[in-house]
């Protein structure tokens, strides 16, 4: 079976790339082990979609079909240090309609797949598992576990943090464990957050509350391993009380909407995200600390940029050409580098117990709050709304 492009991984980034190429003549194979489905209740996986990602999803035709009653805008974000430092980001003051839109992963994922099912230039291989990958001078050969063989000019690894494609081509990922876990849960709140997100840089980790529709809240608590294990061991009532207390009871009494979960956190760095006939996107290409809530947006922008590069090629040019893929890599280098190292640095800065550093970091928050030009710049960078 001959294609121009094989995408391994049909998650948000991989599916978005395939849909973004719907108007081209490229023949696409998408390999995924399980198709997305709408959950019966609330999806525990919540993302903050930046304005740039919303525009991209609008261009793909997915955003218009989403149930917008299950989305919540972020109009303001309040950031609190561990010793009195405060900083507020406002969409209105930065000239934006909103800072982000909070919604369930499955809302977007299902709509992208609905588009894929109708797309004339996509072959869906689901459920399918890759078995062998052979990179040749004139193309790639991918063998599936069921014996089917796919040939193409380019393979894209969109298969997540533990990317099978990345491992097969021996791109080494440098992993630096944070010795933290992200504890996540969704809550029903006595007091509606009303479009306000909160973030606390605490001595025991970084706590983020994101607004959900219908007065709900999604939490990510990036906690040291010992605390994370303790939180997961608490009974439901004690867990809610602990979260209420950590967030200064800003939203009153909390009640769990979804079961809590925890996952280890680490920094992942790659020396390269492209090789001849291979490109990586999304979590396969970079992983950042969740304190920014920006990881999914990096993946969408990877998909957008790679699709632009491939769509612009004349019909005679090889989409697996290393020069083409290097253009994609260069265009994505700055944003990924800045966000990865900014979140890494902030996490390290607030993880230290040195009292002198504590004074400096909280003074820094207060100083930034008094410089609206700086705060507006930070907001626009995160939203991809650069002047």
């Amino acid at each position: 079976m001959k294609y121009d492009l094989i995408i391994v991984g049909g998650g948000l980034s991989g599916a978005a790339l395939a849909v973004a190429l719907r108007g081209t003549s490229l023949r696409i194979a998408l390999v995924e082990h399980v198709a997305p489905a709408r959950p019966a209740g609330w999806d525990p996986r919540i993302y903050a979609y930046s304005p740039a990602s919303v525009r991209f999803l609008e261009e793909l035709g997915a955003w218009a079909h989403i149930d917008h009653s299950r989305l919540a805008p972020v109009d303001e974000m309040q950031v609190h240090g561990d010793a009195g430092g405060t900083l507020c980001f406002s969409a209105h003051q930065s000239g934006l309609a909103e800072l982000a839109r909070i919604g369930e992963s499955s809302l977007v994922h299902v709509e992208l797949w609905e588009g894929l099912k109708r797309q004339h230039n996509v072959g869906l291989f689901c459920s399918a598992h890759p078995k062998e990958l052979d990179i040749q001078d004139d193309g790639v050969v991918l063998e599936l576990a069921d014996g089917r063989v796919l040939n193409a000019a380019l393979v894209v690894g969109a298969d997540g943090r533990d990317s099978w494609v990345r491992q097969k081509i021996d791109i080494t990922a440098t992993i630096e464990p944070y010795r933290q876990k992200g504890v996540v849960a969704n809550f029903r709140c006595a007091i509606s957050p009303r479009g306000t997100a909160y973030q606390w840089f605490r001595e025991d980790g970084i706590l983020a509350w994101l607004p959900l529709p219908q007065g709900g809240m999604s939490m990510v608590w990036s906690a040291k391993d010992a605390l994370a294990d303790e939180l997961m061991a608490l009974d439901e009532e004690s867990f809610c009380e602990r979260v209420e207390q950590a967030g200064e009871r800003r939203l009153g009494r909390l009640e769990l909407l979804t079961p809590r979960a925890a996952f280890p956190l680490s920094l992942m760095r790659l020396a390269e995200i492209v090789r001849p006939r291979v490109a990586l996107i999304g979590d396969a290409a970079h992983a950042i600390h969740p304190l920014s809530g920006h990881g999914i947006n990096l993946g969408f922008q990877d998909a957008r940029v790679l699709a632009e590069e491939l769509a612009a090629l004349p019909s005679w040019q090889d989409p697996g050409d290393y020069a083409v893929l290097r253009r994609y890599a260069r265009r994505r280098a700055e944003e990924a580098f800045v966000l990865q190292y900014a979140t890494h640095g902030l996490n390290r800065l607030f993880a230290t117990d040195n009292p002198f550093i504590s004074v400096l970091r909280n003074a820094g928050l207060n100083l930034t709050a008094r410089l609206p030009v700086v705060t507006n710049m930070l907001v626009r960078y995160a939203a991809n709304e650069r002047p």
Side-chain angles (χ1 to χ4, degrees):
M1 291 179 279
K2 295 185 180 297
Y3 294 89
D4 298 298
L5 167 66
I6 300 170
I7 303 172
V8 178
L12 288 171
S13 299
L17 173 61
V19 176
L21 293 169
R22 66 193 182 284
T24 71
S25 60
L26 294 172
R27 297 161 298 170
I28 304 163
L30 190 145
V31 178
E32 173 57 48
H33 64 278
V34 60
R38 301 181 193 273
W42 280 94
D43 185 343
R45 297 166 299 171
I46 302 294
Y47 292 129
Y49 300 99
S50 72
S53 291
V54 171
R55 285 198 305 274
F56 180 47
L57 292 167
E58 287 174 341
E59 294 166 4
L60 299 185
W63 196 253
H65 299 288
I66 291 171
D67 181 358
H68 285 248
S69 69
R70 297 181 76 92
L71 297 169
V74 178
D75 302 314
E76 179 179 286
M77 183 168 186
Q78 298 181 13
V79 181
H80 302 272
D82 57 346
T86 60
L87 181 60
C88 182
F89 296 105
S90 166
H92 175 72
Q93 292 177 3
S94 300
L96 299 175
E98 56 195 28
L99 297 178
R101 191 64 68 95
I102 309 300
E104 299 154 277
S105 169
S106 58
L107 284 177
V108 175
H109 202 183
V110 168
E111 292 305 330
L112 287 172
W113 269 71
E114 288 300 312
L116 287 174
K117 293 173 185 176
R118 300 186 295 269
Q119 196 165 321
H120 73 281
N121 63 336
V122 170
L124 290 175
F125 294 83
C126 183
S127 76
H129 297 267
K131 180 181 177 182
E132 294 295 339
L133 178 62
D134 183 18
I135 309 298
Q136 302 173 353
D137 290 340
D138 59 349
V140 299
V141 180
L142 178 70
E143 181 184 351
L144 302 180
D146 61 9
R148 288 178 291 180
V149 177
L150 311 180
N151 295 269
L154 170 66
V155 62
V156 175
D159 47 347
R161 188 184 183 97
D162 299 320
S163 171
W164 177 87
V165 171
R166 191 182 68 229
Q167 294 174 34
K168 279 292 182 181
I169 62 172
D170 292 325
I171 290 182
T172 302
T174 302
I175 308 293
E176 183 178 338
Y178 283 123
R179 296 184 177 84
Q180 297 173 342
K181 292 186 178 73
V183 180
V184 297
N186 299 330
F187 298 88
R188 184 177 293 108
C189 311
I191 302 171
S192 173
R194 297 185 180 277
T196 299
Y198 299 91
Q199 192 164 51
W200 291 269
F201 287 88
R202 298 163 47 88
E203 291 181 357
D204 55 12
I206 302 167
L207 175 66
W209 287 3
L210 301 175
L212 289 178
Q214 303 169 25
M217 179 269 287
S218 179
M219 179 201 79
V220 181
W221 193 337
S222 304
K224 296 176 182 177
D225 284 339
L227 174 59
D229 294 341
E230 180 184 339
L231 292 171
M232 293 299 293
L234 293 173
D235 62 68
E236 187 171 310
E237 183 177 353
S238 300
F239 176 67
C240 291
E241 167 63 25
R242 191 72 171 269
V243 175
E244 292 171 22
Q245 184 182 39
E248 303 170 355
R249 305 191 189 280
R250 293 289 179 99
L251 302 180
R253 187 162 182 80
L254 303 178
E255 179 185 348
L256 272 175
L257 279 174
T258 59
R260 72 200 103 158
F263 53 92
L265 303 178
S266 59
L267 173 69
M268 184 183 77
R269 289 173 289 192
L270 304 182
E272 53 189 342
I273 63 169
V274 296
R275 290 265 183 91
R277 306 209 170 278
V278 183
L280 303 176
I281 67 172
D283 286 349
H286 34 63
I288 64 174
H289 197 284
L291 69 87
S292 73
H294 206 70
I296 189 59
N297 299 306
L298 281 176
F300 279 139
Q301 295 310 309
D302 290 345
R304 178 186 64 82
V305 170
L306 183 56
E308 287 177 356
E309 292 294 339
L310 295 176
L313 295 178
S315 58
W316 52 263
Q317 188 161 5
D318 185 347
D321 188 331
Y322 189 44
V324 173
L325 303 179
R326 287 194 65 185
R327 286 201 297 270
Y328 152 71
R330 283 195 299 269
R331 289 180 61 186
R332 296 302 299 139
E334 178 190 347
E335 185 184 19
F337 176 84
V338 169
L339 286 169
Q340 192 172 58
Y341 281 89
T343 54
H344 177 67
L346 277 172
N347 181 62
R348 288 301 189 207
L349 180 63
F350 279 88
T352 180
D353 297 327
N354 187 310
F356 177 70
I357 298 297
S358 177
V359 171
L360 286 180
R361 66 197 178 203
N362 284 275
L365 286 177
N366 289 328
L367 176 61
T368 304
R370 296 186 180 96
L371 298 171
V373 173
V374 176
T375 56
N376 290 346
M377 180 187 69
L378 292 171
V379 169
R380 286 183 169 276
Y381 193 95
N384 288 108
E385 297 280 358
R386 298 166 210 173

